[in-house]
Structure formats: C-alpha cells, structure tokens
Amino acid sequence: MCRLFGLTANKPVDVEFSLLKADKPFRNLGEDNPDGWGIGWYEDNKAKIFKEGISAKNSERFCSYAKEVRSNIVIVHVRKGTGAPPSEVNSHPFKYKNWLFAHNGSVDRDYLLDILKDKYKKELKGETDSEIYFYWILQCIEETKDVIEGIKKAIDEIIKSGIYYTGLNFLLSDGKFLYAFRYSRHSKDYYSLWLLKREPSESGPLEFRSKETSALLRSKALKGEKAVLVCSEKLTEEKWEEIEFGNLLIIDPNLSIKKWELYE
C-alpha cells in the first residue's frame, strides 16, 4: 500500500538522517512503494508540500528536500497505488489551508464522495480515495468543532457503515499538533505504526552501530534538539515503541504525547 513518516521537534530540523542515512532509510521504502512520494512541512507557520509521481528511489529531488527542508513538523509519504495512476496530484501528503495529511490503506471512495460537502468536493485535485478520506475527516472536524471528536466521527462512519476499507492509518497536522492513527480491517502487521522519542543530545551528533551492517551511523542532531518520530516501519535500532492498534496519538508543540484508544 504505502508507508508513512512523521516528525515533530522542539526546533526546526531537517530529516536527512531518517530519510537518507538511517540503518533502514525511509527512501528505500520507495522501492516497494514506487507510485509517488511527497513531503510536507511548515515554513513561517504556513504549510508547504512538494510531490512527484515517481519512486523516491529514483528521485534526485527527494534527496534535495530531505537535506534542505527544516521544520518543526514534517510528514513524508511513499505511495503504492490502489487504482489511481501515479502522478503528482495523487501523491501524498495532501494540503488544505494549514492542514497536512498522509494515509496508508484504502477506503470506499464513492461512499465518502457522496457524503462530502460541495465545499470540500471543490478542493479535490486527484483521483485517490485518500484525498477524499482527508476531506471527510476535515468535514467532521468542522462539524464537531473539535479535532479528536471529528476524527472519531469520521472513523465511526467508515467502520459502522460497513463499507469497504483496508487500512485507515494516517498522519495529520495543523502546524501545531501531529496526529497519528492506526487501524485496519485486517493485516495488522502490515498496517503497523511505530513511535520513537529522541531526547536532546548533550554531546553532539547521535551515534549508534547498525546491527545489520556494523556500520557506524551518525545523525545531525544538535545539542538540545528533541524530537518525536512516527513511522510505518522502524528505521533504526533505537527503542521504537509500537503504537497500539486502534489508538490515536496527539503530539503537542511541547512534544507531550497523549493516547486515545478509539477502537479495539
């Protein structure tokens, strides 16, 4: 299907280490997910995106953006399509105002399109179910006037209506908070989501040795830099924690993490 990566930090950081230099760099996941890639971030508190309809493994721009983007919140996605063709507009993340969103899975596109308001239908640019899923969540947030309640309402409609879906995993941000949700109809192992809390470095770059290659890996972590990472797969040999099935994580600007068990 797809793979997700999200990072939120206490200061603007780049994601070169995680995307290009980690033990299992996120870019390599583009090999099995070749139908596009994208990166979303915040610049002067405004959401920005760059996307391509090619594999991250074949993109020089992927390397450039991994090194050059600096932001407190970054969302990256590699896509394996489920119907819509590879293209820039069908790649994730999607952007609406200051919201960024990336999805892993599939859901009944026609059903959600039928219950989407014209206000959001007019914003659709591509052909994916994921983009409609994004606007459906935003519509529910608008109706409930609460992000968590809106997310729950959106997911409830999908699960309780009995419509087709595989995975509902997503990363969502409004520029202040990072939201991460894990849920699927089946294949729980595939629709995984992992969390890593990286504490400030007092002695310079983070260093550790790869168990697979014995190579010494070094991040560009600066003194006092603190971050929380969320990814579909563990990228390093650090102490990643599995996000429990059915849980919604909310990471605030202070990097405090709240967990809501929405479903079992």
Side-chain angles (χ1 to χ4, degrees):
M1 297 289 182
C2 305
R3 300 283 86 179
L4 305 169
F5 171 85
L7 176 146
T8 179
N10 63 342
K11 60 177 68 174
V13 299
D14 66 55
V15 285
E16 180 182 10
F17 177 72
S18 295
L19 301 191
L20 301 177
K21 296 183 176 181
D23 191 16
K24 299 177 181 179
F26 188 76
R27 186 191 189 201
N28 287 359
L29 298 177
E31 187 170 348
D32 293 327
N33 301 272
D35 297 326
W37 72 275
I39 182 170
W41 72 100
Y42 292 89
E43 192 174 301
D44 297 325
N45 297 316
K46 294 182 180 179
K48 304 283 186 179
I49 56 172
F50 180 84
K51 305 192 287 185
E52 290 185 303
I54 62 174
S55 170
K57 286 282 287 183
N58 299 329
S59 172
E60 294 182 3
R61 303 298 294 274
F62 185 96
C63 299
S64 299
Y65 276 86
K67 297 173 184 177
E68 295 170 8
V69 165
R70 296 187 65 84
S71 177
N72 289 68
I73 295 177
V74 181
I75 292 176
V76 189
H77 184 275
V78 289
R79 177 176 180 255
K80 185 173 183 180
T82 56
S87 69
E88 177 186 338
V89 293
N90 288 333
S91 299
H92 309 210
F94 303 101
K95 179 176 80 73
Y96 176 74
K97 295 184 177 179
N98 230 36
W99 291 97
L100 294 172
F101 175 86
H103 170 222
N104 175 21
S106 58
V107 64
D108 190 324
R109 184 181 190 277
D110 292 338
Y111 181 89
L112 293 185
L113 186 60
D114 284 343
I115 58 178
L116 202 63
K117 294 179 180 178
D118 288 341
K119 168 184 176 180
Y120 293 112
K121 287 181 181 178
K122 293 176 182 177
E123 298 294 332
L124 296 172
K125 297 178 176 64
E127 305 153 87
T128 66
D129 53 344
S130 297
E131 186 180 16
I132 295 176
Y133 180 36
F134 171 40
Y135 284 112
W136 168 240
I137 291 173
L138 293 185
Q139 179 173 305
C140 291
I141 291 173
E142 180 184 49
E143 291 172 350
T144 60
K145 298 179 173 58
D146 181 89
V147 176
I148 297 171
E149 287 302 314
I151 290 172
K152 190 174 189 307
K153 178 180 179 180
I155 303 300
D156 277 348
E157 177 65 30
I158 293 170
I159 294 175
K160 295 178 181 179
S161 66
I163 65 171
Y164 169 83
Y165 69 90
T166 56
L168 300 177
N169 289 16
F170 68 73
L171 296 176
L172 174 73
S173 179
D174 59 0
K176 296 180 180 178
F177 294 81
L178 180 65
Y179 302 88
F181 178 64
R182 181 189 176 201
Y183 191 81
S184 65
R185 184 186 292 274
H186 51 67
S187 304
K188 290 184 181 181
D189 289 341
Y190 175 78
Y191 291 103
S192 55
L193 212 51
W194 297 86
L195 174 76
L196 175 66
K197 292 175 278 189
R198 191 170 279 162
E199 296 298 326
S201 170
E202 297 298 331
S203 57
L206 172 71
E207 294 184 347
F208 58 94
R209 192 167 293 277
S210 165
K211 289 183 180 179
E212 292 188 357
T213 66
S214 295
L216 184 65
L217 303 173
R218 173 179 290 190
S219 79
K220 291 171 59 178
L222 303 175
K223 184 176 181 179
E225 186 176 290
K226 181 179 180 182
V228 176
L229 287 71
V230 179
C231 191
S232 297
E233 300 186 20
K234 295 183 285 185
L235 303 178
T236 65
E237 298 296 339
E238 296 168 90
K239 295 181 180 180
W240 294 77
E241 305 170 29
E242 187 172 16
I243 296 175
E244 294 181 15
F245 190 77
N247 277 17
L248 172 69
L249 265 59
I250 305 100
I251 307 164
D252 69 22
N254 296 319
L255 305 189
S256 296
I257 302 170
K258 293 183 179 179
K259 298 181 182 180
W260 290 72
E261 185 178 344
L262 299 186
Y263 307 96
E264 296 182 358

